Amino acid sequence: MQSFITEQYNRLSVHVMPTSQYANGYLHLSIVNEQGRIPSAVFAVIVRLLFRQDSLGKRKLQQQLWSMYVDELRCELEQKGETQLACIRLRIPAGLLPGTKARTLDALKLLADMLFGSSLKGGFDFDESQIQEELAWAEHHAGYDVSDWDKVVRGRSLEWLGYAGRSRDSDLEQLQHCARDGELLEWYREVLCSPLHIHVIGDFQSDVMIAQVMETFLPSVITAEGEGTPSVIGHDHQPTESREEGEIMLELMDVQQCKINVAFTTGVTYGSSNYPALFLLHSLFGATPASRLQSELREVKQWVYQIYSTLDDYRGTLHVTTGTSSGYVTEVLEAIDAEWLRICSGDIQEVELNRAIQNVMHYVQVGYDLPEQVVNLHIDRLLNRVQMTTPQFLEAISCVTAVQVAEVASGMKKAVTWILYPESEYSAPVQEVTHE
């Protein structure tokens, strides 16, 4: 498997992978908001303003993209523990199309202009209507899309665990304050002082591509560093309250069925020696269609439409998320506990373990054939400061035993169970739950 060649200058890191495996070239610019140093809503709005489809003038941007044979520019925001990541992606058609190298250089210049252009003009050059549209977007999402109930219920659990240093209301209030008082320019300068990772995948010479990226971005990076202003960042994280492990939280909401999230703390960090066993447990427990929770609760009992586990490497948590009718809540929670305890006791058949190993091997190998997944894996390793390569991870997975999986499962603790319960179906008095 091919790997990235990296060159770094202060906070600018360039990662190139020369390969003829793909028909296209891939260019990813990642901006890292380390440990929430910029409030997430402020960071998100500034990045979205910078990389809006009309940020350079809609017609001008479309013409630039068309000249490179690029159909769209994608901007994605992701929370990785306390660190926030903005990834801007461009796919540059190669193959038989002419001028691939020139178009790649044009794409680099386009991203550099969109990121640093406002600074070079001496301001934050966006009209009021654009800013108001992004403020409305931030208010609607408030950390996650309120129409995606799985994200809502997981978010509630993470807040309860103390992984949200600032409440969403406080973050939005600060964003509105900054926009109202004209402070977005200062925050924009803070964004320009954030670590930048540029990944380039395609058929090129590595030294030539590294030189082109450095030549395009480095002058602006140095200028931004030289024009740095005193930080406007205030760290006003709220102290985390003492929590009782295993607590069940019930919240009444306007939902059609009960939404459930069971959050476990794993005690295992990404890249540690027992991480492959945890990942295999995740696959065995609920990550795949062949997992125990899917088989028992969905196919056999038919209590849920879907149920799955998600592994949060950055926070050391594993979440089981599902939805069910109010009449099955107790049975579903007891069944989740029962499957977890079975694994803890070592009740794992060899054929089941081998199937889980093959599922993980297939998942990782297929993902490694997708350029975006290659970049995501590399970013995860960079942010976690882990040297483990994909071949090393696959080798470790193939050697995991049932005893190791049971040990990892036994080391997990059920931290909190959060239930969003339909208001229309609840008649007993309930204590109101707050999320700040």
Side-chain angles (χ1 to χ4, degrees), residues 373-393:
Q373 184 67 12
V374 173
V375 174
N376 289 338
L377 287 170
H378 193 245
I379 282 286
D380 283 341
R381 290 174 190 140
L382 292 171
L383 296 183
N384 280 293
R385 294 176 173 85
V386 169
Q387 299 300 318
M388 177 182 62
T389 65
T390 297
Q392 289 170 339
F393 176 69

Side-chain angles (χ1 to χ4, degrees), residues 138-193:
E139 184 176 356
H140 175 72
H141 284 76
Y144 42 68
D145 189 340
V146 294
S147 64
D148 188 337
W149 295 111
D150 287 0
K151 289 184 179 179
V152 172
V153 73
R154 280 198 302 272
R156 296 288 200 258
S157 296
L158 287 171
E159 288 175 14
W160 186 93
L161 287 166
Y163 287 111
R166 300 168 53 90
S167 71
R168 292 185 302 278
D169 290 342
S170 146
D171 215 15
L172 284 171
E173 184 178 348
Q174 184 165 7
L175 169 63
Q176 292 160 352
H177 169 80
C178 292
R180 184 175 61 250
D181 294 351
E183 297 177 358
L184 286 178
L185 175 59
E186 284 75 17
W187 287 107
Y188 167 52
R189 289 172 179 160
E190 292 288 348
V191 170
L192 295 185
C193 290

Side-chain angles (χ1 to χ4, degrees), residues 9 45 93 118 175 275 295 327 337 382 407:
Y9 179 88
V45 162
S118 293
L175 169 63
Y275 179 77
S295 175
D337 282 349
L382 292 171
E407 288 176 350

Side-chain angles (χ1 to χ4, degrees), residues 130-328:
Q130 292 173 323
I131 293 174
Q132 289 303 319
E133 285 179 15
E134 297 306 333
L135 292 179
W137 172 88
E139 184 176 356
H140 175 72
H141 284 76
Y144 42 68
D145 189 340
V146 294
S147 64
D148 188 337
W149 295 111
D150 287 0
K151 289 184 179 179
V152 172
V153 73
R154 280 198 302 272
R156 296 288 200 258
S157 296
L158 287 171
E159 288 175 14
W160 186 93
L161 287 166
Y163 287 111
R166 300 168 53 90
S167 71
R168 292 185 302 278
D169 290 342
S170 146
D171 215 15
L172 284 171
E173 184 178 348
Q174 184 165 7
L175 169 63
Q176 292 160 352
H177 169 80
C178 292
R180 184 175 61 250
D181 294 351
E183 297 177 358
L184 286 178
L185 175 59
E186 284 75 17
W187 287 107
Y188 167 52
R189 289 172 179 160
E190 292 288 348
V191 170
L192 295 185
C193 290
S194 301
L196 303 177
H197 292 274
I198 300 173
H199 288 78
V200 190
I201 300 176
D203 191 3
F204 49 75
Q205 289 182 298
S206 59
D207 55 343
V208 172
M209 181 55 65
I210 289 174
Q212 287 183 337
V213 176
M214 285 292 184
E215 181 182 350
T216 303
F217 279 85
L218 199 51
S220 296
V221 168
I222 294 173
T223 300
E225 289 175 345
E227 296 179 351
T229 56
S231 176
V232 296
I233 297 171
H235 296 282
D236 56 348
H237 296 304
Q238 301 297 318
T240 302
E241 299 178 15
S242 176
R243 304 291 194 181
E244 292 292 332
E245 290 182 351
E247 189 166 350
I248 296 179
M249 307 296 288
L250 184 68
E251 179 180 1
L252 300 186
M253 293 194 75
D254 182 18
V255 291
Q256 299 302 312
Q257 64 170 192
C258 292
K259 309 295 181 180
I260 301 172
N261 184 80
V262 183
F264 296 84
T265 54
T266 66
V268 177
T269 57
Y270 181 80
S272 63
S273 59
N274 53 355
Y275 179 77
L278 174 65
F279 201 91
L280 202 57
L281 162 67
H282 168 48
S283 176
L284 190 67
F285 193 34
T288 70
S291 64
R292 288 190 173 187
L293 293 179
Q294 283 276 356
S295 175
E296 183 65 20
L297 276 74
R298 182 176 181 269
E299 296 176 12
V300 177
K301 302 293 187 182
Q302 297 185 348
W303 288 338
V304 300
Y305 178 72
Q306 68 171 358
I307 184 168
Y308 58 93
S309 62
T310 51
L311 188 59
D312 189 332
D313 298 327
Y314 289 86
R315 299 181 175 98
T317 57
L318 185 147
H319 299 260
V320 175
T321 310
T322 188
T324 187
S325 66
S326 56
Y328 287 131

Side-chain angles (χ1 to χ4, degrees), residues 115-139:
L115 178 59
F116 293 101
S118 293
S119 176
L120 297 175
K121 296 173 185 174
F124 196 58
D125 191 22
F126 294 96
D127 62 43
E128 186 62 26
S129 63
Q130 292 173 323
I131 293 174
Q132 289 303 319
E133 285 179 15
E134 297 306 333
L135 292 179
W137 172 88
E139 184 176 356

